[in-house]
Amino acid sequence: MDDHDLANMREFKSFVKYHGEEYGLPSMKVIRSVMKISSGIIRLTFDGIFQDRERLKNIDKETGEIK
């Protein structure tokens, strides 16, 4: 998730659909059953990526200053 900047399940589902085979990912049904067990860490990962995106929105791309 982090390596591909995936910030939510919708993006992850799309990634699995288009790139799952090349990464050896099983179907979303199997992935969801595994994710239920690790939901806390997955939620934290998605949240961190989302927060990074939000912070980048507030940075002036020319000066690097926080708006």
Side-chain angles (χ1 to χ4, degrees), residues 22-66:
E22 63 188 273
Y23 286 90
L25 297 172
S27 69
M28 279 306 296
K29 183 177 180 179
V30 174
I31 291 171
R32 281 192 188 106
S33 69
V34 172
M35 291 176 90
K36 285 180 186 178
I37 298 167
S38 306
S39 63
I41 191 71
I42 293 167
R43 182 175 286 127
L44 289 172
T45 302
F46 279 144
D47 188 47
I49 295 167
F50 176 80
Q51 288 179 25
D52 284 347
R53 284 185 184 176
E54 290 301 307
R55 272 190 230 112
L56 289 174
K57 289 180 185 176
N58 297 322
I59 295 176
D60 186 312
K61 291 180 180 162
E62 291 181 24
T63 66
E65 295 177 348
I66 298 173

Side-chain angles (χ1 to χ4, degrees), residues 4-20:
H4 296 282
D5 199 32
L6 305 173
N8 56 52
M9 284 302 294
R10 177 182 263 161
E11 292 176 3
F12 181 66
K13 184 178 176 182
S14 179
F15 179 83
V16 169
K17 180 179 179 180
Y18 294 105
H19 303 286

